[in-house]
Amino acid sequence: EAGVAQSPRYKIIEKRQSVAFWCNPISGHATLYWYQQILGQGPKLLIQFQNNGVVDDSQLPKDRFSAERLKGVDSTLKIQPAKLEDSAVYLCASSLVDGRAGELFFGEGSRLTVL
Amino acid sequence: AQSVTQLGSHVSVSEGALVLLRCNYSSSVPPYLFWYVQYPNQGLQLLLKYTSAATLVKGINGFEAEFKKSETSFHLTKPSAHMRDAAEYFCAVSDKNQFYFGTGTSLTVIP
């Protein structure tokens, strides 16, 4: 079974530029998450999708971050314009079940460096 | 709101020694609890999870954790550390399909 795919693995940009990350979850997983992991910290939820609907985006900085999951499968996370503090690893995860016991399956992450 | 607290951001043990990583949770409902491991430059991988069945949960790579409701704890242990166990470990609590992660504990194994 293929895992969660993310690209690109690494991205270096200058502040005020834009960047986009792509995620393809495990086939059949209805729930998709984007997490931000700053060095030395635990993952922080940015946005959670159930199929193509948003369940929680309360911690997404909506003035610069946007995310979509148009067909309920793959998803794109965009940052525009980027700030220095956006340097982090962006993790995508998916889950099969709609319930508390659903295990999260993570991709390898996209590491962003903003100069 | 649910939350987890991991005591000790860095833990060092000698190879072959006991590993103990601490996690305390707060939850208004019976929790689902998880331990994840993250190796350098990789995503998080599930070690084990508690879903209100047996209080002692066995996971992969020889790790186990015990759910103690009275102490609101879910500490991770392994009897004998191996060099390959060096990684970052995250405790997480789940509620209504939302997950809340601790700040992580970095485990160093000394040869």
Side-chain angles (χ1 to χ4, degrees):
Chain A
E1 177 181 82
V4 176
Q6 290 189 245
S7 68
R9 286 294 313 276
Y10 305 92
K11 188 73 175 179
I12 301 174
I13 62 174
E14 295 188 348
K15 59 183 179 182
R16 292 187 288 274
Q17 287 187 323
S18 63
V19 64
F21 301 113
W22 173 83
C23 172
N24 191 33
I26 293 174
S27 178
H29 282 197
T31 310
L32 184 148
Y33 308 76
W34 281 104
Y35 284 88
Q36 180 192 57
Q37 186 178 22
I38 293 174
L39 186 65
Q41 299 182 18
K44 182 186 88 170
L45 179 68
L46 291 175
I47 189 167
Q48 176 183 344
F49 293 95
Q50 182 75 22
N51 296 309
N52 60 350
V54 175
V55 173
D56 183 359
D57 64 355
S58 58
Q59 298 193 82
L60 187 73
K62 298 180 184 63
D63 58 333
R64 298 184 299 106
F65 286 64
S66 64
E68 60 184 13
R69 193 185 184 199
L70 293 176
K71 297 182 179 179
V73 181
D74 57 347
S75 175
T76 301
L77 175 71
K78 296 180 181 178
I79 306 174
Q80 181 179 13
K83 291 185 175 182
L84 297 177
E85 59 261 36
D86 298 333
S87 294
V89 176
Y90 292 87
L91 295 167
C92 179
S94 67
S95 175
L96 176 61
V97 298
D98 179 14
R100 296 188 300 149
E103 172 190 345
L104 294 185
F105 294 82
F106 284 86
E108 293 187 312
S110 295
R111 182 179 297 275
L112 173 66
T113 301
V114 182
L115 303 177
Chain B
Q2 321 306 326
S3 68
V4 292
T5 301
Q6 291 185 242
L7 298 176
S9 58
H10 298 277
V11 171
S12 293
V13 300
S14 298
E15 191 174 15
L18 171 71
V19 176
L20 171 61
L21 304 182
R22 300 178 186 273
C23 172
N24 289 87
Y25 69 90
S26 67
S27 174
S28 57
V29 297
Y32 286 5
L33 295 160
F34 305 78
W35 275 100
Y36 282 84
V37 61
Q38 186 177 33
Y39 299 102
N41 298 316
Q42 295 187 25
L44 280 71
Q45 176 186 0
L46 182 69
L47 272 179
L48 48 82
K49 64 180 179 180
Y50 168 76
T51 57
S52 73
T55 56
L56 183 62
V57 182
K58 294 187 182 298
I60 62 172
N61 301 338
F63 284 92
E64 62 183 33
E66 186 172 9
F67 172 69
K68 291 186 177 181
K69 184 177 180 180
S70 61
E71 298 177 7
T72 61
S73 68
F74 190 57
H75 301 331
L76 181 71
T77 60
K78 181 174 180 177
S80 177
H82 193 278
M83 295 298 294
R84 61 175 174 260
D85 296 327
E88 190 84 15
Y89 292 80
F90 293 94
C91 183
V93 62
S94 170
D95 178 35
K96 298 179 182 179
N97 211 28
Q98 295 187 346
F99 290 76
Y100 303 88
F101 286 86
T103 53
T105 298
S106 178
L107 177 66
T108 299
V109 182
I110 303 167

